[in-house]
Each structure stands twice: as C-alpha cells, then as structure tokens.
Amino acid sequence: MLFTFVAKLIFQITHMKRKLQTKLLMLLAMISFTALSAIGQVTTSSMSGVVKDAKGETLPGASVKATHVPTGTVYTSQTSGEGRFNLLNMRAGGPYIVEVSFIGLDPQKTENLMLKLGETFVYNTTLGESSRQLNEVVITAGGILSSDRTGAVTNIGNREINTLPTINRSINDITRVTPQAQGGSIGGGNIRQNNITVDGANFNNSFGIQSSGSLPGGQATPIPLDALGEISVNVAPVDVRQSGFIGGAVNLTTRSGTNEFSGSAYNYFRNQNNVGTKVKNYDELTPNPNDVKTYGARLGGPIIKDKLFFFANIESDKQARPGQNAFTQTATQPWPGTPNSRRPTAARLTEISNYLRDTYGYETGGFEGYGFASERLNIVAKIDWNVNKNNRFSVRYSQLESKNPSFLSGSVTGLANTAQNPLYGPA
C-alpha cells in the first residue's frame, strides 16, 4: 500500500511538473511571438536633446514637457546626469508645444514643432538665469544628415497627401515622391520585397496573387488616402527594429480624432473625355468608354476632450471599362484577315451557351461587346484613448470589399485555334 501511494504521488508530481512546463513553454512562445510581431513596426516619432545653462554646462534633473496640441496628449521626461532627455512613442505630426524648466532658471517654451514619422527630432535648448532678461533664444535641431536617421528616408505628411496630384488615389501614387522609388518599386527592387505596415500591422501582398499590386486587394487600396495621416518611405532600412524583409519599408499611420470636430466630403470622377486623343501628326484616336466615380467622407472629433477621440472614414469607388474588342467571325469579316476577328462563329458560341443553360442552368452571358465593372468599398474607424500620462490605447477597424473582374487564363492546348478543336470547328 505504501509503495502504491508513493508511486501515485510521484506520478501526480511528474504530471503537474509536465503541465507546468507546458504552460511555461506556451507562455514563452507567446512572448516570442509578440516580440517578433513588433519587429518592423514604425508608428510613432520621438524627441531627444540636451539642456544647458547660460554657461554651457548641462543641467541634470531639468523637466521637459511636450504637448500635442490637437489632442492634448502630454509627454514628460527629466534630463539625465549628462543633461540629456528622451521622449519616446510620440504621435507623428503636430503641432507640439515643448516646455523646459529648472529651479532657479527661466523656463523655455517653444511652439509649432512638427515631428516626422519614425524619426527623432533633436531639441537642444539653453536656459538663462531668472534674474536676467533674455533677448533671444536659439533652438537647434538636427539636419538631414542626423545621426539618428536610419537610411534614406522620405517623410510625407498629411498636407502633402492631400495636395499631391493622384489619378488612382493609391498609396503607390504618393510614394513616387521618393527619388529612389518608381511607384511600388523602391531602389529598383520588386514590389513584393517591400514591407508595408499600417499602424504597425503588416499589409503585404505575400502571395503575389495580384501581379500589379503590392498591397492586399490588388488594384484596390486597402486604406483610403483620406484616412492616412503620415507616410514614411525608408529605401534601405538599417534599423534593428525593421527586419525580416529585403526591400524598402513603407510605414503608414491613419488619422486620429482631435479636440476639434473636423470632416470632409469628396467626389472624384473620370471618363474617356479626360484622355488625350491627338499626338503630333498621327490620326486622332477614339478612346474606349471609361467611367470612374469615387465618393467619400470622413469625420473625427472628441468624445471626451483631451481624453477620448474618434475617427471614421468611408469611401466608395466604381469603375466601368470595356472588356475586350474581339468579335466572332462573319461572312463579311472572316478570320483570318480581319483585325480583332476570332475563329469561333456566333452560331457555335450560341449553341454552347444554350447547351450550358439547358443542361446545367448556367448562364454564360454575352460573348462580345461586354464591359467590366469594378467596385470597392472602404470603411475605417478608429478610437484613441489617453488612459493616463504614461499609457495610450488605440483600436482601429478597417474593412475592404472589392470586386475586380479579369480575363480568363490565356493558357491554351495544342489543338487551340485549329480545325481539330471541337470548340472552333470548321471555318
């Protein structure tokens, strides 16, 4: 009996130990996955600098406060023993108000500072003695060749996004301002080599289903331009936080609500009348029918001032374009010899269409003179919460519904377009 009791006890301890090990392994795996998922996320900006007195000596323990004016978000820090400070995870954009203070010295206040996405703004300042009146204060900031810059970076702010001309309203239309980029190709690389993030979430077209697009949805834009706040294009990132890919890094952040209600409604349209038809002395061309219509609206504002904000955007895009110019051969337009004429006769294609309808209930539709209709619907909603001075919370919902018809595969067999193919039959 004692042996049996001891054996059961050892078994239970071993079983509990294995369960504990399993839980520890699962916990470590979750931590590792979280750490890996954070790689390559560039969603904020930062600020650093040195605070000195009038004698040029550094000031340890000076208080630094940066306030994001549109939302009232506050970031605070104190200088180290060397007079340096760092403010991390700040909202990109601005404007910011920066206040620096130290006991016995005049406080320094600077307004209208703008931060770029993924870059560190260098803010060095000098505090004068309180008994003296300063006539001029000089603030120095890092230039283009800042040591904090990690590679060739182009930052595109909200103002540039709204003013840059674009035809397709695609992200690739905006990234072209990068000198080393041609649409989605950065530095001559393939568009699928890039790492694209929106608010830190990967938006890569990993499977390459749509050869013409580097984003999910192919021709469709997953996030409308009117919902974007900042874009950063890093040609050759050498930052340890950005890894796991071999191309450029395109980081995007979406808009957020502010203490003031703001919104817009817009409509874009384009048709064949917007296409040129005359080139030098050549015959004038007749453009194919084309109809593109885009409707959208956005609204953002406070739920609780300086505390809770909302933003929402909806956009609809509809396009109608010709499907193909080919037609079936006829007695007056035989194949070959007539441009765009094809071997199947109208009678043969009608026979096949009727057979599929009568036998399987499948409607093939027309076989010539048809067009393509593409549709897209985007919905973006975001909530930002300033929990306290040390914590921020943000949640975003995005939805894309897209339909983009395309031609069937062009792959054919050896019997295609020959008299032995039963589809074509005799001429």
Side-chain angles (χ1 to χ4, degrees), residues 47 64-76 87 90-91 93-99 109-113 259 306:
M47 181 182 296
V64 181
K65 175 184 175 182
T67 304
H68 185 250
V69 178
T71 61
T73 307
V74 177
Y75 305 87
T76 59
L87 296 174
M90 303 176 68
R91 289 175 179 263
Y96 275 89
I97 297 177
V98 179
E99 301 172 83
K109 181 179 179 180
T110 307
E111 300 181 356
N112 297 322
L113 294 182
N259 282 325
D306 294 337

Side-chain angles (χ1 to χ4, degrees), residues 73-251:
T73 307
V74 177
Y75 305 87
T76 59
S77 178
Q78 284 190 332
T79 57
S80 63
E82 298 178 349
R84 297 183 177 275
F85 72 92
N86 288 283
L87 296 174
L88 305 177
N89 299 323
M90 303 176 68
R91 289 175 179 263
Y96 275 89
I97 297 177
V98 179
E99 301 172 83
V100 183
S101 60
F102 189 80
I103 298 176
L105 300 179
D106 281 334
Q108 175 63 41
K109 181 179 179 180
T110 307
E111 300 181 356
N112 297 322
L113 294 182
M114 304 295 294
L115 304 186
K116 295 181 179 180
L117 177 63
E119 290 195 17
T120 301
F121 184 91
V122 181
Y123 180 93
N124 299 326
T125 185
T126 300
L127 301 183
E129 296 181 1
S130 58
S131 59
R132 296 168 54 189
Q133 180 69 31
L134 296 180
N135 296 324
E136 182 179 3
V137 177
V138 179
I139 305 298
T140 60
I144 296 178
L145 299 179
S146 171
S147 60
D148 294 305
R149 182 184 288 270
T150 56
V153 183
T154 300
N155 292 95
I156 308 168
N158 184 258
R159 180 178 299 178
E160 289 80 9
I161 295 175
N162 291 332
T163 56
L164 283 172
T166 171
I167 296 178
N168 298 320
R169 291 187 56 78
S170 168
I171 295 173
N172 291 334
D173 285 349
I174 304 300
T175 57
R176 73 179 186 275
V177 301
T178 301
Q180 300 88 345
Q182 183 177 2
S185 175
I186 299 177
N190 189 281
I191 55 179
R192 298 184 189 87
Q193 296 173 341
N194 301 331
N195 186 61
I196 302 175
T197 65
V198 177
D199 291 333
N202 284 335
F203 266 66
N204 297 320
N205 184 14
S206 302
F207 297 99
I209 297 175
Q210 294 286 347
S211 59
S212 59
S214 58
L215 297 171
Q219 299 288 348
T221 300
I223 302 293
L225 290 184
D226 209 52
L228 293 178
E230 299 274 340
I231 300 177
S232 172
V233 182
N234 197 327
V235 177
V238 294
D239 193 333
V240 70
R241 295 171 300 176
Q242 303 184 59
S243 63
F245 56 97
I246 58 176
V250 181
N251 301 292

Side-chain angles (χ1 to χ4, degrees), residues 364-382:
T364 62
F367 47 79
E368 61 183 9
Y370 59 85
F372 284 160
S374 301
E375 297 180 5
R376 170 176 60 87
L377 175 64
N378 289 94
I379 299 176
V380 177
K382 189 177 182 181

Side-chain angles (χ1 to χ4, degrees), residues 27 49 88-89 99 117 120 134 138 162 193 207 232 241 258 273-274 281-282 301 327 330 334 356-357 359 383 386 409:
L27 180 61
L88 305 177
N89 299 323
E99 301 172 83
L117 177 63
T120 301
L134 296 180
V138 179
N162 291 332
Q193 296 173 341
F207 297 99
S232 172
R241 295 171 300 176
T258 64
N273 296 326
N274 301 112
N281 298 324
Y282 293 94
F327 55 88
T330 62
L356 292 175
R357 183 189 65 233
T359 307
I383 295 291
N386 293 333
S409 173

